[in-house]
Amino acid sequence: MHDLHVVDLSRLQFALTALYHYLFVPLTLGLSFLLAAMETVYVTTGKPIYKKIVQFWGKLFLINFALGVATGLTMEFEFGTNWSFYSSFVGDIFGAPLAIEGLMAFFMESTFVGLMAFGWDRLKPGQHLAVTYLVALGSNLSALWILIANSFMQAPGGAHFNPATMRMELTSLSDLIFSHDAQAKFVHTSIAGYVTAAVFVAGVSAWYLLKNRHTDLARRSFRMAVLFGALATVGVITLGDALGFVGAQAQPTKLAAMEGLWKTEPAPMPFNLVAFPSQQEQANHGAIQVPYVLSLLVTHSLTGSVPGVDQLEQQAATRIRDGIPAVTALQTLSAKPNDADALAQFDAHEKDLGYGFLLQRYAPDVATATDAQVAEAARDAIPQVAPVFWSFRVMVVLGLAMLAYFVLAVIYTMRNRVERKRWFLRLAVWMIPVPFLANEAGWLVAELGRQPWTVYGVLPTWMSASTHSVGYMVFSLVGFVTLYTVFIAVEMYLMVRTIRRGPDEGHGATSPDDSRQAALPAGYAEG
């Protein structure tokens, strides 16, 4: 039996490292394509100011990219050290997209990042533009393969459990790659990165305009960023709706938690705009509801109904009871691999094996489980509602705030009034953290809403962790938090220093630091 304190500490450690890492990823995804768009303008117009723009934002991209790689590498090691049973159980499937990501996307991205940084004086403009596009393509391909791996955990497909090897095995690579969850999540996540980059570039440009520094570069950068961001924000909201629709089919318990939906009601169902969910009472306090909206959002009709926690718990209890023969058959097969009766029993109940594992937390010998233990395991099949409910609303509210911001930004930009709207420029600076917070909230919805599973419906989280001691986990947790805090401090220091120095002189006012060379590749430092 796993020590549940070790499981909780393993979850906390992975969550913290992932949240740290995810501060860097969206900006890399978005800034890479924004750089490509800016360089396209440079190559097509031949205006030197656009080369200067690409080189300046390229400095910030390189800083963010380097620290993003450093924080991401440790996460892959954590699968082997802290989640050894998970790695053994689904390694054949989970490892495939990660291996492709490393061999194809990451190497491609890393190789061309070097050419992009050092190739300004060695490549023709068209060749350098091609390199910049390949960096953007590599960054986004890297995200694609990682999200395919993650989507297997959210909506497992293209695999089955082999009782002879006692682990999941891949049956269809195409089912794994083209799962609806993977495709919807990739598009939603990558476009969220584009929004992040647009808000970042617009915010820094607004700061220059407020300070009356580098105004030519800032004005052009601001205009490109807000147009890019406006389109991307519409895309991320639209694809968010599509992802919610797909998620409703694959993970109804996550959807119930997102909506604070404790009881199944007849259609059309109201949407809980605000509420304070109580897990113990299975009820909401202080709910403010909007009639009909939940059915419209989730089923795209007024006649569709969404299952609540009460119905989902009943379904979980049924599947738990059906999973008991699968677990007992598996125990027999582990001692007698050729037992035909046990194999037939396993085949008949294989689809509910994960729910049988869920019961083992409360009844190690599932064959003697009581009704109370089955009910307890069924309650465990529902994630903690309050954090999922509020994380979802934080993400949505911040997304709508960014849409309103970009609409205003486009209007002011098209009318050439941005520089006269000092309050709006100050707002643009304060908007910089908003997409990062929205991205983190979205990640919390996706991962907290998947609980209590590491692989939804297949492998419970409590079984997935390694059998470390609590002391080891506390020691490694402190080490990771310390290391990653240093990474964040380094990122902030380098970003702020580079922004304060600004681009090279010749475009707008200069600062006293402009004569100094940044500690970056010569192509970026010298232009």
Side-chain angles (χ1 to χ4, degrees), residues 383-448:
Q384 289 296 309
V385 172
V388 179
F389 179 89
W390 281 110
S391 297
F392 176 65
R393 274 147 189 79
V394 168
M395 177 186 68
V396 171
V397 168
L398 294 181
L400 293 175
M402 285 185 282
L403 177 63
Y405 161 71
F406 277 121
V407 169
L408 275 179
V410 169
I411 291 172
Y412 291 151
T413 300
M414 299 301 287
R415 295 179 178 178
N416 292 319
R417 292 183 179 176
V418 169
E419 291 174 70
R420 281 181 279 175
K421 302 288 183 182
R422 308 290 288 179
W423 68 270
F424 189 76
L425 293 177
R426 286 191 285 272
L427 173 67
V429 177
W430 284 103
M431 285 294 290
I432 290 176
V434 170
F436 294 93
L437 294 173
N439 284 317
E440 299 284 7
W443 184 87
L444 289 173
V445 172
E447 301 307 309
L448 291 177

Side-chain angles (χ1 to χ4, degrees), residues 115 171 452 489:
L115 272 176
T171 56

